[in-house]
Structure formats: C-alpha cells, structure tokens
Amino acid sequence: MRERVPEDAYTATQLIGDVWAFVHPYRFRFFIASFARLIGDVAWLYPSFALAALVNELSKGAELDQRALVFVFIFWGIAIVVRAYSQYLTRTIGFRIGEKVVVDVTKKAMRHLTTLDMAWHERENSGNKVKRIQNASHGMDRLIRMWFNMLIEIGVNFIGIFVILATIESITLAPLALFVVTYFTLSYTLGRRAALASLEVDKEGEVVSGILYETAANIRTVKVLSFSEAILERLSGVLDVLYHKVARRIDLYQIRGFVLMLWAQSFHIGILAFIAYGVWVGHYEVGFIILFHRFFGQLWDSVSELSEFSQEFMSSKLSIARLRAMLDTEPAVHASKQTEVLSPTWQTIQFKNVSFTYQDVPVLKNVSFSVHRGEKIGVVGLSGAGKSTLFKLLMKEREVYEGEILVDGTPLHKIGAEGYFSRVAAVLQDTEVFNMSLKDNITIAGSGDHERAFQDALRIAHVSDFVERLPLGIETLI
C-alpha cells in the first residue's frame, strides 16, 4: 500500500483540475448559470451611473431634462429586474451543481475507502475519515458557490468600473489601482496565517469527531466497562486544545479585519476629499462624487470578496489535498491485478512459508500447512500467537506478507475480492450491527435471491421462533 500526502505539494492547478473533474458532468448547466450571472452583474453597474446622472440633472434647476430623467428610471428598473432574475437563475442552477458535487465526492471517497486494506484503516479512526471526506466535499461546494456568488461579479466590477472611470476621469485610476493591490496584498498576507490556523482547527476537529464517533459506536462497552470517565477526560483535553486553536483563528481573522477596514477607509476618505475639492473649484460635476463613492464601495466589496475567496481557496485547497492523499492511496494489491476467480470446486488451501510482521513485531514466521476441502480445522495457541492473523490473511484483510497462500495452486493475491467473498464467509468474534431493520441487516451482504436467503437465515439462526413478537416484525430497527 502506498499513500501520497500532497498537502504541501498540492498546487492550485491541481485543485482547479479536481474541482472541474467533478463539475464536468454538469458543465452545460454550469455555463448557463455563469452566463446568467455575468449578464446580471454587467446590468448592475448601471445604478451607480444612473444615480450620478440623476444628481447632475437635478442640479441644473430650470434646465432640467425631464425626458432624460424618465429614461434613467426606466433603465434603472430594467437593471433591477435583470439583476434579480440572473441571481435567481444562477443560484437555482449553480447551487444544485455544488450539492451534486458533494454527493459525487462522498460516493467516490466511500467507494475508494472500501478498496483499501485494513493496514491503512487501522491508522485512522472512523471519525477522522468521515470528517476528512466532509471537509473536502464541503470545500468543493463552497468554491463552486463562491464562483457564482463572487468571482464573476468581481471580474465584472474590476473591468467595468475601471473602464467607466477611465472615460470620465482617468486621474482616479492610479489611486484606485494602488488601493486594490495594497488591500489584496495585506489581506492575503494576514489571511494566509488565518487559513493555516483554520487547517489546524480542521485537523483537531477530526480528532474530536473521531473520539465522539468511536464513543457513540461503542457505547455499550463504554457503559459496561465504566470507560466513560476516562473517555470524557481524554475528550476534555482534546476539546481544550481545539478551543485554543479556534481562539487563535478568531484572533487572526479579527486582526486582519481591523487592519483592512482602517486601510480601506483611509483610501476612501482621501480620494473623496480630492474629488470634493475638484467639485468645489468646478473641475467635476456634483454627480461625479456620487458615482465615485458608489463605485469605490463596489470595488471595495469586490476586492474584499476576492481576498475572502483567496482565504477560502487556501483553506479548501488544504482540505481537498487531504482527501486527494486518501484517494491517491493505492491498495496493497490493486484490483486490476486480481484476475483469477475462486473455483466453486476448490480442493486445497495451502500456507507456504508465510511470515507476517505487524508494526515491526514478527507475528507469523515461516508458517506452512494445508487444509483440504471438507476438513474441520482448529487453531490453538496463546494470545498473540497469530491465530487471528492467519484468518485476517485468509480474509484478505492483509495483503502484504512473505511467502504464499495458495488455493489449488493459485496465489490468493491474484483472486478477485468480489468473487472470493461470494464463496467465502466468516463468523467474526466482534459482531457489527447497522442501524437498520432486522431484514436489512441480514440481506445487506447478500446477492441473488434475497428473500430465499433471508428466510433461510431466519430459520438457521432460530430467529423465526421470535421474530413475530418484535414490534415491527422483520422491519424492526435493531
């Protein structure tokens, strides 16, 4: 088994490629939603221009052009309708795409988890794995939503506002460009530390989730063996660590917000003072100060959203990198190499010089024996002698060992898992019961004639003797 951990090496290009791979099946709807948002954002540049035009006309007094005012309000109304409908259409279509991606990511991750051997699974508890999948899938969803909610509008505002101001008064472009560059640089620099703090919170959250999950899943053992105090003490320690990491994240984000607010307001007041002086000396019309004030607000919102997106991009990048590390983990024996099928008439299972080491501790050493069809074999030994390990190897839970396990001369490595387990069964000492009905728990692993297998199972296990006394019969949750 090989696992790559690309958290540091995972690039923005790889992230975009991974997100697009999940969006690609819905690309037609994605482009429709994007185009609708583009049209709405272009239309929304007009209200600021309309307000400035309105102020200029009203300042003319007796020379006021009533027809021009009527057209201003008509086009303003059209812009409102276009903007509202474009947002409705974009979010209706786009947000559904994000939710579909969450579903697809979860399905793919869970399917891959079932292919990994137990050596990988034992390194992380179940809660950690679930949290990793949730963080990554929701990270993709957030990026998709931010594309529709922010990025398109940001692009339109940057291009549209600079073009409009360039045609009216180009002298304001230099300070505006300086503001955008400095604000984003400050935001990115301060936000990067906050994003790294968020990653630490996510990692610690996985640990908390793991403890909560394992406690809930083993609640009977916890109660019967009085583990609750010990587990709660451990949970309390982990929660304290999580709290301190969350507090640090809060501090970093609030410091970032304070610095950015101070910087932006200073620029805003400075440029407005310059324009106000220009209005006073007759260099600009009164409406220009209104136009600039509105456009500066839109530009400020856009660069703020861009910096917010950059932080979310970094945070999601780290979360998705952790999922990518899991998806890039290859099983010890890849399914494509398991081309043989277990014969229904097999005759002999042979262990040939099998050795197995667990965490650098030898468990089995040069074990050799044969089992013939129809034989009943008991394996006896002290605790830790390797009895359970023998069966883990037979059940393909461990694929890395020395020597060979042969079925009629065919290496077990080469026998496909699906075909193998259709003819091999085990009664484990630890019984797992799903939060499903009695019937679903019995038939979930079956194939073929479910009803006949279900009835046979009820009869063999003598469940049929009491199943009718259950509250909902075979549909009773167990």
Side-chain angles (χ1 to χ4, degrees), residues 33-336:
S34 298
F35 183 72
R37 181 67 203 232
L38 177 66
I39 296 300
D41 289 334
V42 170
W44 204 237
L45 291 173
Y46 182 75
S48 297
F49 185 82
L51 184 61
L54 184 63
V55 170
N56 286 336
E57 284 297 326
L58 292 175
S59 66
K60 293 179 180 178
E63 299 178 3
L64 183 146
D65 186 346
Q66 295 181 354
R67 186 178 178 184
L69 288 181
V70 170
F71 277 111
V72 165
F73 281 109
I74 289 175
F75 287 123
W76 199 336
I78 292 173
I80 291 172
V81 172
V82 171
R83 166 77 166 186
Y85 184 70
S86 75
Q87 288 194 328
Y88 162 76
L89 193 63
T90 297
R91 290 171 180 172
T92 301
I93 298 173
F95 288 4
R96 289 185 180 184
I97 294 173
E99 292 300 326
K100 283 294 294 180
V101 167
V102 170
V103 171
D104 294 345
V105 170
T106 303
K107 285 181 178 179
K108 181 174 181 177
M110 291 303 296
R111 181 178 295 278
H112 185 71
L113 277 181
T114 63
T115 68
L116 299 178
D117 50 284
M118 293 304 299
W120 184 88
H121 284 284
E122 289 176 358
R123 291 206 300 269
E124 289 190 70
N125 63 42
S126 301
N128 290 33
K129 301 168 200 171
V130 171
K131 193 70 173 178
R132 186 186 292 198
I133 294 170
Q134 289 175 337
N135 285 342
S137 61
H138 292 152
M140 285 198 180
D141 181 38
R142 288 193 299 270
L143 290 179
I144 292 169
R145 286 172 180 259
M146 292 179 89
W147 165 259
F148 292 118
N149 274 341
M150 294 183 182
L151 287 183
I152 298 174
E153 182 179 21
I154 289 169
V156 169
N157 283 346
F158 279 166
I159 296 173
I161 289 172
F162 274 90
V163 168
I164 292 172
L165 290 178
T167 60
I168 298 174
E169 182 52 79
S170 60
I171 195 172
T172 59
L173 297 183
L176 271 182
L178 180 62
F179 165 71
V180 169
V181 172
T182 54
Y183 187 95
F184 183 79
T185 302
L186 275 173
S187 177
Y188 182 85
T189 303
L190 297 173
R192 181 171 177 79
R193 295 176 63 195
L196 292 174
S198 292
L199 176 64
E200 291 302 314
V201 170
D202 287 343
K203 287 182 177 180
E204 200 64 32
E206 290 178 9
V207 176
V208 171
S209 177
I211 295 174
L212 294 174
Y213 179 90
E214 297 295 339
T215 303
N218 298 284
I219 191 65
R220 183 185 181 195
T221 303
V222 171
K223 290 176 67 66
V224 170
L225 298 182
S226 300
F227 286 171
S228 57
E229 288 302 320
I231 289 178
L232 288 174
E233 183 178 349
R234 182 183 176 192
L235 178 62
S236 177
V238 174
L239 285 173
D240 286 342
V241 174
L242 177 61
Y243 168 77
H244 289 299
K245 291 187 175 182
V246 170
R248 172 173 168 75
R249 180 182 66 180
I250 291 172
D251 290 344
L252 289 173
Y253 273 112
Q254 294 308 310
I255 290 172
R256 169 179 171 268
F258 169 75
V259 172
L260 291 178
M261 173 65 74
L262 197 61
W263 187 253
Q265 290 290 12
S266 298
F267 255 95
H268 191 195
I269 293 298
I271 302 176
L272 282 180
F274 172 78
I275 296 175
Y277 174 78
V279 173
W280 181 47
V281 298
H283 197 67
Y284 306 120
E285 291 185 297
V286 176
F288 182 61
I289 197 169
I290 303 296
L291 178 66
F292 183 86
H293 172 72
R294 294 265 303 190
F295 274 170
F296 186 89
Q298 286 181 257
L299 204 60
W300 183 2
D301 287 342
S302 292
V303 74
S304 296
E305 289 177 344
L306 182 61
S307 62
E308 179 184 342
F309 174 78
S310 70
Q311 304 313 311
E312 184 60 47
F313 187 86
M314 284 191 289
S315 178
S316 296
K317 176 173 168 286
L318 294 169
S319 296
I320 295 169
R322 287 170 59 74
L323 177 67
R324 172 50 59 193
M326 186 177 74
L327 294 177
D328 285 347
T329 302
E330 298 177 0
V333 177
H334 203 276
S336 62

